[in-house]
Amino acid sequence: MAGGNAIRGTRVGAGPMGEAERGEAAPRRRVLFWCAQGHETHVAFASDAEVPDLWDCPRCGLPAGQDQSAPPPAPRTEPYKTHLAYVRERRSDADGDALLEEALAKLRARRGA
Ligand SMILES: [Zn+2]
């Protein structure tokens, strides 16, 4: 006839053993990373884990390093964008459609042969 009282007295995760484990079993150290835009990122590593030189900034995606005064430079994406813009400038949508049609026609011809 134990009933509800026994169940109510038991809580998962509580108790002396649980507390001790949570506090000390996995010591961690916090490492700071800075990206080129000055975002500060705190990352917790297990004490026996290897801390990487670079960490992706969760706010802007740039690589972040542990030296605040000399963050890793942002990777260059300008040339690619500029090239794309250049291509867009030169080719109108109509030209694009024509090129696509041409390519598809060739493909069909090759497949049909
Ligand atoms: Zn950032």
Side-chain angles (χ1 to χ4, degrees), residues 1-2 4 15 17-18 21 24-25 27 35 44 65-66 73-74 78 82 86 91-92 96-97 100 102 104-105 107 113:
M1 281 278 148
M17 284 174 69
E21 249 176 281
E24 290 164 47
C35 76
Q66 292 178 54
E78 319 295 340
T82 305
Y86 182 62
R91 294 217 173 107
S92 68
D97 284 349
L100 190 69
E102 203 182 297
L104 283 174
L107 211 75

Side-chain angles (χ1 to χ4, degrees), residues 35 37 39 57 59-62:
C35 76
Q37 292 198 48
H39 298 139
C57 173
R59 287 169 70 179
C60 67
L62 292 178

Side-chain angles (χ1 to χ4, degrees), residues 16-96:
M17 284 174 69
E19 301 294 328
E21 249 176 281
R22 219 178 306 158
E24 290 164 47
R28 287 173 179 270
R29 55 188 163 144
R30 288 161 69 96
V31 180
L32 281 170
F33 291 91
W34 289 272
C35 76
Q37 292 198 48
H39 298 139
E40 196 177 285
T41 307
H42 295 244
V43 186
F45 291 95
S47 59
D48 59 347
E50 200 174 315
V51 177
D53 291 337
L54 293 179
W55 192 264
D56 286 341
C57 173
R59 287 169 70 179
C60 67
L62 292 178
Q66 292 178 54
D67 188 350
Q68 183 176 19
S69 61
R76 290 163 170 249
T77 51
E78 319 295 340
Y80 181 70
K81 279 182 191 166
T82 305
H83 176 71
L84 203 69
Y86 182 62
V87 170
R88 282 206 182 118
E89 253 171 52
R90 284 176 54 206
R91 294 217 173 107
S92 68
D93 284 350
D95 282 346

